[in-house]
Amino acid sequence: MNLVELAQRIRAFRLERRLTLDEVASRAGLTPGWLSKVENFRITPSLPALAKIAEALGVSTADLVAGLDNKPALVLVRVNERKVVERDRSRENTTVYEALAHKRPNRAMDPFLLTIPPGVAREKSLAHEGEEFLMVQQGTIEFEFGDQSELLRQGDAVYFDSSVPHRIINSYKRPAVVLCVFHGPSGTAAN
């Protein structure tokens, strides 16, 4: 099942209904922080939790998961069809994530193009299950991985175990563009 698409659907249904995280969480008997992690595909809800979220949104669980197991052999995403995904955005972290394979619902990898404005970094390093690949397409970034810090320039790439806390920092005066590919723990897209 495509967990990224599920997270995006939950968020889209919530925003369509003009509900806050607090309102949906309260209706579902969940915490807003936990629901935020679901929407940012940091955690995957259990089936009972998914049913509570669906009820709080006024939709069926079937509506939330419909088509998530479809797997077309070829999916083409044109440059103007990229989908901006909300992930870890805050006042300090304004990195833009563009989904590059969102048309294939049941994928093993999740590729994104990240645009990191000058002076931007996630507040703290985060870890998640799976593996990840980064390749700098434009600019320069600092990549923190556990206790290590690496300077990456255009064309440089790293492949790593994403269960180790990591983050990207752009402390330079120009935007950086990074190709990022997540691979989840059991052949599913990262959560």
Side-chain angles (χ1 to χ4, degrees):
M1 178 181 292
N2 181 349
L3 301 175
V4 174
E5 180 65 26
L6 175 62
Q8 291 170 348
R9 282 186 188 179
I10 291 169
R11 182 176 178 12
F13 276 120
R14 180 177 63 78
L15 293 176
E16 281 175 15
R17 286 151 179 75
R18 294 190 169 106
L19 296 169
T20 66
L21 277 170
D22 288 339
E23 290 169 329
V24 174
S26 176
R27 290 178 184 183
L30 306 167
T31 66
W34 186 86
L35 184 58
S36 176
K37 288 179 182 177
V38 168
E39 286 190 1
N40 284 292
F41 47 96
R42 288 283 174 214
I43 59 174
T44 304
S46 65
L47 193 53
L50 188 60
K52 289 178 184 179
I53 293 168
E55 185 177 339
L57 293 170
V59 299
S60 70
T61 306
D63 288 336
L64 287 179
V65 299
L68 292 179
D69 286 333
N70 294 343
K71 195 170 187 173
L74 174 70
V75 170
L76 173 63
V77 177
R78 301 275 183 200
V79 67
N80 63 334
E81 297 174 323
R82 293 179 185 166
K83 186 175 183 181
V84 174
V85 175
E86 290 294 323
R87 184 173 169 98
D88 303 325
R89 283 185 70 96
S90 66
R91 193 174 332 144
E92 294 80 21
N93 182 18
T94 55
T95 299
V96 175
Y97 285 73
E98 291 179 280
L100 302 176
H102 61 280
K103 289 183 177 182
R104 183 172 174 152
N106 189 18
R107 56 191 174 269
M109 298 179 295
D110 234 335
F112 293 93
L113 196 61
L114 282 56
T115 303
I116 306 117
V120 167
R122 185 185 297 144
E123 293 78 32
K124 61 181 181 175
S125 294
L126 294 177
H128 53 86
E129 290 185 272
E131 298 176 337
E132 204 166 323
F133 171 82
L134 301 176
M135 182 175 183
V136 179
Q137 304 293 301
Q138 173 186 317
T140 303
I141 61 166
E142 295 165 50
F143 175 66
E144 285 185 2
F145 181 76
D147 296 334
Q148 292 178 255
S149 183
E150 299 290 341
L151 184 66
L152 303 176
R153 294 184 174 88
Q154 184 174 343
D156 291 345
V158 292
Y159 187 102
F160 56 96
D161 178 345
S162 51
S163 66
V164 175
H166 56 279
R167 73 176 176 159
I168 294 172
I169 302 167
N170 181 1
S171 56
Y172 301 93
K173 295 181 181 179
R174 296 184 183 205
V177 178
V178 176
L179 173 65
C180 174
V181 182
F182 296 105
H183 184 271
S186 61
T188 59
N191 49 10

